[in-house]
Amino acid sequence: MTNGNGHGGQGTDRPLRVAVIGAGMAGILSAIKLTDAGITDFTVYEKADRVGGTWRENTYPGLACDVPSHLYSYSFALSPDWSHRFSPGPEIQSYLERVAEESGIVSSIRFGDEVTRCEFTGGRWQIETAGGHRDDVDVVIAATGVLHQPRYPDIEGIDTFEGAIFHSARWDHDVPLDGARVAIIGTGSTAIQMTAALVERVGRLALFQRTAQWIFPQDNPSYSEEEQASFRSDPSALTELHANLSQMFGVFANAVVDADSPEIKMVEQACLDNLENNVRDPELREQLRPDYRAACKRLIMSADFYEAIQHPNAELVTEKIERIEAGGVRTADGRLHEFDVIVLATGFKADAFMRPMSVIGRDGQKLADLWADRPSAYLSISIPGFPNFFMLNGPNGPVGNFSLIEVAEIQFAYILQLIDRLRSREAREICATAEATDAHEAARVEAAKDTIWVTGCRSWYLDDRGIPATWPWPFDRFRAVMEAPDFAAYEAR
Ligand code: NAP
């Protein structure tokens, strides 16, 4: 259906022009896949001065990915060089930089300029950046990431602290940690990784826990030089490993959408055994025991958290935080916990997506109005009234403990089929219908009732109504649905 040179812009002979927003994992993927498809007239807009997205922004000690590295890799750029089953964050950042460099897409990235506005007018998207640059494009691909905007806690006196205080995703590397008295607020994946990495370095570490977490015991062995060499000499072994890991993670992804599945019971048992067998002090064990089901919140994988929180330098504080003062954190029991450094590991605004960017669709419709209550999209890809604007890892999409790279690859292949309609000139404007979007949303909300995420916990998966903003069906269904667009769900002009 397509012509090889990507022609198709609005009935003219000029090539289709595309803007990709964000040069993180999904933006790099988009640039590579557009190029492969013969669409070469594109710019990737990146507000920072390097690629990498979340892996560039998060630099906290202990940062790693809880998806195995051989799965958290592009399927077309598998690497024999991963150091560990779950490799550290800087290694992932280097991998993304290397893939971007080697694929030759870096020259298409406009660094240091943030897209502030996209408006659909005259059949094209007008892009505006903070630096005053303008661009007219046929297609926008929003690859802006999911957990991107830090969520700062609403704690009284937070500005009065006289030591160093920063969000986990805004780590201040000028602040000395060795021997320091450090507080970590929060017990999400970030805080858990950081606790194990910091406990031996600092003078004292206090972890402020509002809600206990289930911890799935997960070893993190390194790959030997021999293993890396064998991957190098036999790339098919890498492909096989990627496929096997994908299959294994599929089992987990399927388990979480059925709260009664035997697999989820096995996960629960493994977490329970981990707590019972590895926390020695009965009082601490009870403090660390969650009162909700494992995997209700995003499941945390760690081999060393329980050991770290039992380290002589560590203290678990479960007393409610009353306020932050010049010298530290005052808890409800009246105690002042004094610190040099407070780290806010309090998560992200999971419903931000490309906001605060201003996006204006057909007939002047503002995304800010459409999404005023909560974001929504057809299959997390397309928004009614916003033609030729497609999202990767968009709203209500499949988040879970699996590889968002794999998700983005599947989504991009789907989006490319929509773009093909534009470049074959079967359509000039394409977006999901409101009916299809509403029907998908209604089915999604109904299916979410059977998932583990609604069994009684607070988490960033839940929207303002308490409904999981996730894909509530098995991962195989995601693959099947994303195989090819159902064009009846799209309005093409
Ligand atoms: P998070 O899971 O949203 O956790 C935020 C933590 O801060 C929670 O423990 C929360 O308590 C606590 N909190 C928030 N406001 C608070 C307040 N006012 N007072 C006290 N505690 C407060 O955030 P995250 O740990 O940054 O992780 C977010 C997600 O990023 C993860 O779920 C994961 O998807 C991703 N991540 C992945 C990796 C990885 O290995 N791939 C690593 C880090 C992060 P409550 O539980 O009581 O709400």
Side-chain angles (χ1 to χ4, degrees), residues 60 64 66 187-190 193 210-211 297-298 347 458 460:
Y60 62 80
D66 59 8
T187 50
S189 312
T190 302
Q193 289 180 344
R210 185 165 72 178
T211 310
K297 284 171 174 287
R298 183 188 164 100
R458 167 177 49 205
W460 66 264

Side-chain angles (χ1 to χ4, degrees), residues 463-487:
D463 69 14
D464 58 305
R465 304 164 296 178
I467 294 170
T470 54
W471 178 263
W473 297 287
F475 198 62
D476 288 347
R477 175 161 164 174
F478 175 70
R479 277 185 216 282
V481 169
M482 300 306 289
E483 189 89 14
D486 168 10
F487 284 102

Side-chain angles (χ1 to χ4, degrees), residues 106-144:
V106 175
S107 58
S108 302
I109 306 177
R110 185 182 170 92
F111 286 107
D113 206 2
E114 182 171 357
V115 175
T116 50
R117 195 167 191 277
C118 298
E119 179 167 5
F120 190 71
T121 146
R124 300 191 89 200
W125 285 96
Q126 289 184 351
I127 309 275
E128 275 177 42
T129 67
H133 176 78
R134 284 167 183 266
D135 196 355
D136 270 7
V137 301
D138 300 298
V139 175
V140 175
I141 295 174
T144 48

Side-chain angles (χ1 to χ4, degrees), residues 33 42 46 66 73 84 91 93 149 172 174 276 279 303 349 433:
K33 291 290 180 183
F42 66 85
E46 171 51 58
D66 59 8
S73 299
H84 287 79
E91 218 178 293
Q93 172 65 17
Q149 310 281 359
D172 184 345
D174 291 336
E276 299 291 353
V279 182
K349 295 176 187 161
T433 64

Side-chain angles (χ1 to χ4, degrees), residues 451-469:
T451 65
I452 191 78
W453 305 307
V454 291
T455 53
C457 66
R458 167 177 49 205
S459 83
W460 66 264
Y461 284 174
L462 302 180
D463 69 14
D464 58 305
R465 304 164 296 178
I467 294 170

Side-chain angles (χ1 to χ4, degrees), residues 56-69:
R56 178 197 63 232
E57 292 198 359
N58 282 278
T59 58
Y60 62 80
L63 172 69
C65 185
D66 59 8
V67 174
S69 303

